[in-house]
Amino acid sequence: MEVSAEPKSWRDELASLVEDTGIIFSGESIGVLAPDFTAKPSPEEESESETLKDQIKGFAKAWGEMVVELGRGCRDVLQQTVLTEDSYIVKKTKGPLAEVSEKLRYLNEFLPEDRDPAHVWPVIFFVFVLALAVLSVNSKHDSAIVMAKKVSLHPPSAVRILLPDGRYIAYHEMGVPADTARYSVIMPHAFLSSRLGGILGIKVSLLEEFGVRLISYDLPGFGESDPHPNRNLNSSALDMSHLADSVGVKGKFWVLGYSSGSLHAWASLKYIPDKVAGVAMLAPFVNPYEASMTKEEMSRTWEHWTRRRKLLYYLARRFPKFLGYFYSRTFLSGKHGQIDKWLSLSLAKKDKDLVKTSAFEELWHRDVEESVRQGNLKPFVEEAVLQVTNWGFSLMDLQVQRICPRKGILPWLQFMYAQPECELTGYLGSIHIWQGLDDTVVPPPMTDYVARILPNAIVHRLPEEGHFSYFSLCDECHRNIFSTLFGNPQGPVDTVDNTLTEEDGEEGLVQAESTAERDAS
């Protein structure tokens, strides 16, 4: 038995005889090892330590329970009042709903056997709507990424004239000069366009071939023209008349109206008919609320338009101030966009193919940039309101009618001495209309209405043509239009006086020869 070399103290000896109880004997005092734990807080301390997040969760949970109970209460009220067998709504809808349910009952075969269709189909419908909403948001986000091109502001470049009321109006001319022009054509532009629009893609060589001087101008507030404080179609016709006088138009001029620019062409036939030699219109717009339209004509016209466009027409007629919200989010947003999106249009196949071309897009973007250069909502709202409100006249006023003296003593006495003269009223000049049969912007029923009201108008119906396809970037189409209006091309007017007769010509030739001999001697 080994004996430790170092002697043990009496404390060590005592500790070896008993179990380890956790009591440590020190030199001075006896201590007890405390177990490792924290003191449990009191209920008051627990309530103080509750976080704001827990309070919000509890509040939301309580409100959720209240909403659920409220929904259950509303459901019970509906079941006990509205959805009873004697309810008027149930009587009216029970039959149709039963028929629809019977026709769609076969769809329940695709559901699991342990699922109630009344519970499953609402869930499927909700998920379907949610998926459509997500796809719509994503598509809008993608399109916003594509529309990155911003509207450029170009320096002023227009020639302007001063009107009698102190306003300036900007214009642009193409073709032959004023002193050699055989025909002068004035063109007011359509909505969201400018003087630079004109006939998109028209060649100067074609204008020279027919001796045409084409003058397009900015409507008040568009492009570089000053706004009008109280614009209407009467003032529009007067602006056109002043423009013709200021730029040196000799005699009468032709008016070319395209799309909604036809409003101002109609106004010229009403207010300045003595200055208009004739009018050419392509897809002419008329007031869709016109009282002389039949219900069928009006219905066939409206059915071609998108819901958004119908809403814009309704707002323009009833609440025009709300149009600014839509315009500021589209073509006045400072960015370029697709023409069908900006104007809420549905386009025919030929139009869709045309507007995607780079040539059309370049001309369209430049025209839009000029149209919105002032950044003012007012002219666009005014133009939209003019389209759908009272024009101050009706197309019925342009009908050619013969008015003879009425019966009475004075007309009878006049008849005894001379044949009574009947007076022709309305517009007596030429009216030519070109209408694409696939046009969904200004649909064919509008032109059918015009043809019924104005039987003297010559309508050229164009199969498979849309709103832009025949008018824009089509050399053959432009030639056909000019040939129809002006006949064979004769070129510009010769500045030399060629109006002498044959006898006068011979005398002039003899005088010229004698003068030459005298000068030679």
Side-chain angles (χ1 to χ4, degrees):
M1 180 177 182
E2 281 186 17
V3 180
S4 176
E6 294 181 1
K8 296 181 178 180
S9 65
W10 65 269
R11 293 185 179 87
D12 295 334
E13 292 291 343
L14 179 63
S16 64
L17 296 178
V18 297
E19 294 182 1
D20 188 9
T21 60
I23 303 173
I24 299 176
F25 299 97
S26 60
E28 300 297 333
S29 61
I30 298 176
V32 181
L33 289 176
D36 188 14
F37 66 94
T38 57
K40 188 174 181 180
S42 63
E44 291 80 5
E45 294 176 345
E46 286 185 356
S47 61
E48 292 178 358
S49 63
E50 187 178 8
T51 64
L52 178 63
K53 183 177 180 181
D54 296 333
Q55 295 179 6
I56 294 176
K57 285 184 178 180
F59 182 77
K61 183 178 180 181
W63 266 103
E65 294 176 354
M66 292 175 61
V67 171
V68 170
E69 292 298 327
L70 180 62
R72 290 175 180 175
C74 294
R75 182 194 61 184
D76 295 340
V77 171
L78 287 175
Q79 289 179 348
Q80 297 174 10
T81 57
V82 180
L83 302 181
T84 60
E85 293 293 335
D86 299 333
S87 173
Y88 174 80
I89 297 177
V90 172
K91 290 180 180 179
K92 290 294 183 181
T93 59
K94 185 177 181 180
L97 290 177
E99 294 179 2
V100 173
S101 178
E102 186 64 27
K103 292 180 180 179
L104 299 179
R105 190 178 296 275
Y106 73 95
L107 295 175
N108 295 336
E109 298 177 0
F110 298 97
L111 299 178
E113 296 182 357
D114 57 343
R115 293 291 184 269
D116 185 4
H119 294 162
V120 174
W121 287 119
V123 174
I124 294 176
F125 177 76
F126 175 76
V127 172
F128 177 73
V129 172
L130 185 62
L132 286 181
V134 172
L135 292 176
S136 175
V137 171
N138 289 337
S139 64
K140 290 181 180 178
H141 179 69
D142 295 340
S143 64
I145 295 176
V146 173
M147 291 190 309
K149 186 176 180 181
K150 294 184 178 180
V151 172
S152 301
L153 182 61
H154 302 268
S157 59
V159 180
R160 305 202 303 171
I161 62 169
L162 181 63
L163 298 177
D165 60 0
R167 292 181 295 114
Y168 281 93
I169 187 170
Y171 71 95
H172 174 73
E173 61 177 298
M174 298 176 61
V176 300
D179 56 347
T180 61
R182 190 175 296 275
Y183 306 103
S184 296
V185 180
I186 296 182
M187 181 178 177
H189 62 77
F191 190 84
L192 193 54
S193 185
S194 70
R195 69 185 186 281
L196 301 182
I199 304 176
L200 285 183
I202 187 70
K203 291 185 176 179
V204 177
S205 59
L206 182 64
L207 297 173
E208 294 175 345
E209 185 179 348
F210 282 86
V212 174
R213 182 192 185 197
L214 178 62
I215 305 168
S216 55
Y217 66 97
D218 289 329
L219 295 174
F222 292 80
E224 296 185 40
S225 290
D226 293 338
H228 193 288
N230 190 19
R231 185 158 69 105
N232 52 37
L233 291 183
N234 189 3
S235 67
S236 179
L238 294 178
D239 286 352
M240 196 183 303
S241 176
H242 293 315
L243 173 65
D245 295 337
S246 300
V247 299
V249 173
K250 300 176 182 178
K252 296 184 177 181
F253 55 85
W254 284 76
V255 179
L256 177 59
Y258 170 59
S259 188
S260 60
S262 300
L263 271 69
H264 312 284
W266 293 126
S268 68
L269 300 185
K270 170 62 179 177
Y271 296 110
I272 54 171
D274 295 337
K275 290 194 171 185
V276 179
V279 62
M281 297 192 183
L282 292 96
F285 186 89
V286 297
N287 187 348
Y289 294 95
E290 176 61 43
S292 56
M293 267 189 175
T294 64
K295 290 184 178 181
E296 182 181 359
E297 289 171 341
M298 191 174 294
S299 175
R300 290 172 55 210
T301 297
W302 282 86
E303 70 183 7
H304 288 83
W305 291 332
T306 62
R307 293 179 181 176
R308 182 183 177 89
R309 193 177 183 197
K310 293 177 183 178
L311 173 62
L312 293 177
Y313 281 146
Y314 175 78
L315 292 178
R317 187 172 174 85
R318 300 295 184 185
F319 308 101
K321 292 183 179 180
F322 290 99
L323 290 177
Y325 170 78
F326 294 94
Y327 293 165
S328 60
R329 293 174 60 88
T330 53
F331 51 81
L332 287 174
S333 63
K335 298 180 181 180
H336 280 297
Q338 299 177 1
I339 188 171
D340 53 339
K341 302 297 184 183
W342 260 204
L343 297 178
S344 303
L345 308 177
S346 60
L347 300 180
K349 183 181 184 304
K350 265 196 169 183
D351 286 341
K352 288 181 179 179
D353 296 338
L354 175 65
V355 300
K356 291 178 182 178
T357 61
S358 58
F360 182 91
E361 183 176 336
E362 181 180 356
L363 293 173
W364 157 251
H365 284 179
R366 181 64 183 92
D367 192 23
V368 170
E369 288 172 348
E370 191 63 27
S371 179
V372 303
R373 68 177 297 120
Q374 299 187 31
N376 188 6
L377 284 168
K378 185 179 178 182
F380 294 97
V381 174
E382 288 177 342
E383 191 70 10
V385 171
L386 284 177
Q387 293 178 9
V388 296
T389 53
N390 186 10
W391 290 0
F393 66 94
S394 172
L395 294 187
M396 299 280 290
D397 301 336
L398 305 178
Q399 281 185 349
V400 177
Q401 297 179 355
R402 184 183 299 272
I403 300 178
C404 297
R406 294 179 294 178
K407 295 180 179 180
I409 297 177
L410 183 60
W412 182 80
L413 292 175
Q414 291 178 348
F415 176 76
M416 295 295 293
Y417 294 97
Q419 184 71 23
E421 295 183 358
C422 295
E423 181 183 1
L424 291 177
T425 61
Y427 181 69
L428 305 179
S430 300
I431 300 177
H432 286 269
I433 297 175
W434 283 265
Q435 175 65 54
L437 297 184
D438 288 345
D439 191 346
T440 55
V441 181
V442 178
M446 272 194 172
T447 299
D448 295 340
Y449 161 73
V450 174
R452 178 176 67 84
I453 296 298
L454 303 176
N456 61 319
I458 302 174
V459 180
H460 309 273
R461 292 179 171 84
L462 310 171
E464 299 181 359
E465 296 289 351
H467 189 71
F468 303 99
S469 59
Y470 192 80
F471 182 70
S472 307
L473 300 170
C474 180
D475 297 338
E476 182 182 357
C477 306
H478 300 160
R479 178 174 292 276
N480 290 338
I481 293 172
F482 283 175
S483 298
T484 302
L485 297 177
F486 309 128
N488 296 327
Q490 303 178 31
V493 175
D494 193 350
T495 55
V496 179
D497 188 4
N498 294 324
T499 60
L500 298 177
T501 62
E502 293 182 0
E503 295 181 358
D504 295 336
E506 293 177 357
E507 293 178 1
L509 181 60
V510 172
Q511 292 177 359
E513 291 177 353
S514 62
T515 302
E517 292 176 357
R518 187 169 58 252
D519 293 339
S521 61

